[in-house]
Amino acid sequence: MSMLSRYVSRSAVKSSILCASSYSQRPMPEIDLEFQGYRGKSYDESSQLHSERIVPSSIPYYSKPLLATQGKMQWIWDQDGKRYLDLFAGIVTVSVGHCHPKVNEAAQKQMSKLWHTTGIYMTPPIYEFAEKLTATLPRHLKVCFFANSGSEANDFAMALSRIHTGAFDVISFRNAYHGASPYTVGLTAHGPWKHQYANSFGIHHAMNPDPYRGLWGGAACRDSPAQPDRTCACAEGHCEAADRYIEQLREVLDYSVPQKVAAFFAESIQGVGGTVQFPKGYLKKAFELVRSKGGLCISDEVQTGFGRLGSHMWGFETHDVLPDIVTMAKGIGNGFPMAAVVTTQEIADSLKGVLHFNTFGGNPVACAVGSAVLDVMKEEDTQEKSKVVGTYFLEELNKLRNKYDVIGDVRGKGLMIGIELVADRATRECLGAKEFVQIFDEIRDQGVLVGKGGLRGTVIRIKPPMCITTRDVDFAIDAFSRAFESHNNRK
Ligand code: PMP
């Protein structure tokens, strides 16, 4: 049996109960799961409550937002039983599938034993999880701090780097997203996320090494089956764009910071920024440069971790670097609110005598969930699935790019994929917001949920639960084609 066919139709059997064929033009893939019915607040009531009782900074996707009432593996149902293929996983969070039975069982088991004590007592699940989690990392990374969100994890990592080095200045990239807390919003470098309060004090944003939108980039820059539509004269194994972007980082280090810096933060592939991949070799050189200034290298694996990139468990491994601190969240709990920071013994030792506390980090239920998620990843080989299904997805998207001019770029690795939509391929001018929303809405009408990203929100983001199959990919590709076709017809 070929590697591909192994992932084609494990769950594609039995009946097609309550599929959304009456709503979408192509029948949904058949599954053996049922909509359980919904008796909660009506769609209209929910919409009204959203506008009256929820802060307006929380803006749901779509012209007519989705009311999600049930989820199972890669599927979501609305109030009427319409089923959707979820290719965004609650923003890269539902790593092994909605309500995965093994994860549910672990949570329920722990819930009936012990919910919460805080770190003032020892509880068994935290040790089991810390052992399992660190076993997936390079051996020097073995001491954990547990937190509740990616922002909190990055806050802590930043504080830790400052405490450890005695330095203050931190470097991240333009187009990075590392959180929205007052501390981490300084690391984040996207205008729309910045507001009228002090941030970024002591933080410097280096030029983003973006091979598609940046000043430099070529036809072989990325570790991906999809390359930018740009030419270059690079020799095998040597990326000129990487060198030029490194010079930019060197300038920040020469001009903007003192002799010593505290840290450098990087995502292995930028997530919110629109699945931006750095030129091969860039990150390794960047780590060397930052370390020459005494800084710690921090990998934000909130989106790229846990095997999503297919070839490795951790995104930083794809760049052949060893970070000093790794931060993780989202996929760690398959939707359970939890996060972690893992570092070396030596760096962790700087916290001796430092009092730092949070109420929920390392909560027994969270840790039981975290352990179960890691078990499922192993048992179901979700990393290998990400590689095989993700590569197939990217290859199919490459074909769509050849067909539709509105696709400026396809990029990504494993099941972390971006499709950048443009008004003009030659100038790379972003697609207008109105046109993007039409396409985005139509993909949803076809039964497929995707995300958006990039500075102007014109990148379609695909980061599904890692249980999707090639059959689901075919269904999604068909939905995208129809939406792009309609876009062409509107022109
Ligand atoms: N880092 C990255 C790379 C992220 O994508 C996010 C969230 N989108 C965060 C940190 C912050 O995580 P949270 O929303 O859980 O605070």
Side-chain angles (χ1 to χ4, degrees):
M1 190 185 259
S2 77
M3 198 54 113
L4 263 185
S5 55
R6 269 178 59 201
Y7 301 122
V8 170
S9 59
R10 251 184 214 165
S11 60
V13 279
K14 302 201 181 161
S15 68
S16 60
I17 27 172
L18 279 174
C19 68
S21 51
S22 55
Y23 300 83
S24 67
Q25 292 158 23
R26 176 182 163 132
M28 296 285 287
E30 295 190 357
I31 57 168
D32 56 355
L33 301 167
E34 281 185 55
F35 177 54
Q36 292 160 9
Y38 173 71
R39 275 179 230 87
K41 290 193 188 304
S42 71
Y43 184 89
D44 290 345
E45 219 182 329
S46 303
S47 295
Q48 196 176 342
L49 281 167
H50 189 94
S51 59
E52 287 174 5
R53 298 275 182 258
I54 308 296
V55 288
S57 55
S58 160
I59 309 165
Y61 274 174
Y62 303 116
S63 310
K64 192 170 190 305
L66 173 70
L67 180 60
T69 65
Q70 186 188 319
K72 194 79 190 167
M73 302 311 284
Q74 64 270 51
W75 307 103
I76 282 185
W77 286 261
D78 72 7
Q79 71 285 352
D80 298 322
K82 175 173 176 177
R83 174 158 58 95
Y84 294 91
L85 175 63
D86 181 9
L87 295 187
F88 202 35
I91 317 190
V92 213
T93 299
V94 182
S95 43
V96 295
H98 291 279
C99 298
H100 191 291
K102 286 210 169 152
V103 181
N104 278 12
E105 192 191 330
Q108 282 155 5
K109 221 164 134 191
Q110 185 59 42
M111 274 176 184
S112 41
K113 251 192 219 157
L114 179 67
W115 274 50
H116 177 74
T117 62
T118 79
I120 56 173
Y121 308 127
M122 296 195 291
T123 53
I126 196 173
Y127 306 120
E128 185 186 333
F129 183 45
E131 259 198 321
K132 272 189 190 165
L133 184 62
T134 51
T136 68
L137 285 154
R139 278 177 51 195
H140 72 298
L141 295 164
K142 56 181 184 180
V143 187
C144 306
F145 169 79
F146 291 111
N148 307 289
S149 69
S151 300
E152 192 195 354
N154 283 334
D155 269 337
F156 180 79
M158 199 184 332
L160 178 59
S161 71
R162 286 171 169 166
I163 291 168
H164 180 74
T165 59
F168 185 71
D169 291 70
V170 174
I171 293 139
S172 64
F173 291 119
R174 293 178 207 141
N175 199 49
Y177 185 96
H178 295 289
S181 62
Y183 220 26
T184 56
V185 82
L187 289 172
T188 292
H190 269 250
W193 296 102
K194 301 278 194 188
H195 308 297
Q196 298 79 350
Y197 44 76
N199 68 78
S200 295
F201 181 54
I203 298 171
H204 312 269
H205 299 121
M207 182 187 272
N208 201 35
D210 177 350
Y212 176 68
R213 285 221 161 264
L215 287 180
W216 308 288
C221 274
R222 298 185 191 129
D223 174 15
S224 169
Q227 294 296 340
D229 189 12
R230 294 176 88 168
T231 48
C232 60
C234 295
E236 180 72 34
H238 180 253
C239 177
E240 216 173 276
D243 290 348
R244 292 185 182 228
Y245 288 118
I246 279 294
E247 279 315 306
Q248 293 296 314
L249 176 63
R250 196 192 302 277
E251 290 209 357
V252 172
L253 291 170
D254 285 348
Y255 286 99
S256 306
V257 298
Q259 281 310 305
K260 194 170 176 193
V261 299
F264 167 65
F265 272 79
E267 300 162 81
S268 295
I269 296 178
Q270 290 175 333
V272 173
T275 322
V276 172
Q277 292 178 271
F278 308 142
K280 280 182 246 173
Y282 172 89
L283 216 52
K284 204 171 168 71
K285 289 181 182 155
F287 272 35
E288 283 163 16
L289 215 48
V290 170
R291 283 181 171 141
S292 73
K293 282 268 185 179
L296 300 184
C297 294
I298 303 178
S299 274
D300 179 334
E301 293 284 337
V302 167
Q303 298 211 10
T304 46
F306 298 97
R308 176 162 295 279
L309 303 192
S311 59
H312 297 80
M313 179 70 171
W314 299 102
F316 63 79
E317 294 173 296
T318 68
H319 294 279
D320 192 22
V321 294
L322 286 176
D324 304 295
I325 302 177
V326 179
T327 62
M328 46 190 94
K330 291 188 185 279
I332 192 173
N334 200 41
F336 201 93
M338 58 189 293
V341 179
V342 187
T343 190
T344 65
Q345 187 69 61
E346 189 200 340
I347 295 170
D349 282 348
S350 331
L351 295 172
K352 282 184 181 157
V354 172
L355 205 51
H356 185 83
F357 173 76
N358 75 10
T359 299
F360 291 118
N363 166 283
V365 181
C367 288
V369 165
S371 286
V373 169
L374 287 176
D375 290 346
V376 169
M377 284 173 176
K378 212 178 207 174
E379 283 162 26
E380 299 184 4
D381 206 356
T382 49
Q383 183 182 314
E384 181 66 15
K385 277 183 186 162
S386 293
K387 183 161 101 189
V388 176
V389 180
T391 303
Y392 176 69
F393 213 147
L394 281 158
E395 283 163 356
E396 291 301 301
L397 287 171
N398 274 336
K399 291 181 200 160
L400 280 196
R401 177 169 58 170
N402 294 337
K403 209 162 152 198
Y404 297 105
D405 282 348
V406 69
I407 302 180
D409 195 27
V410 169
R411 49 189 181 248
K413 185 169 166 64
L415 285 174
M416 177 134 176
I417 296 173
I419 311 169
E420 180 147 356
L421 302 189
V422 291
D424 183 328
R425 251 194 193 173
T427 63
R428 293 179 227 138
E429 180 191 334
C430 291
L431 189 67
K434 186 172 152 236
E435 286 89 353
F436 185 90
V437 168
Q438 284 171 331
I439 293 173
F440 200 63
D441 278 347
E442 181 156 356
I443 292 172
R444 176 254 175 105
D445 292 343
Q446 297 287 336
V448 179
L449 306 176
V450 290
K452 52 181 143 176
L455 184 64
R456 294 188 173 74
T458 48
V459 180
I460 293 175
R461 287 162 71 198
I462 300 170
K463 294 130 185 237
M466 293 183 274
C467 55
I468 68 157
T469 65
T470 53
R471 174 206 55 168
D472 302 332
V473 173
D474 291 339
F475 176 69
I477 291 288
D478 186 77
F480 297 161
S481 308
R482 286 168 199 254
F484 296 142
E485 205 63 60
S486 304
H487 170 77
N488 280 353
N489 293 338
R490 281 190 293 270
K491 281 205 286 192

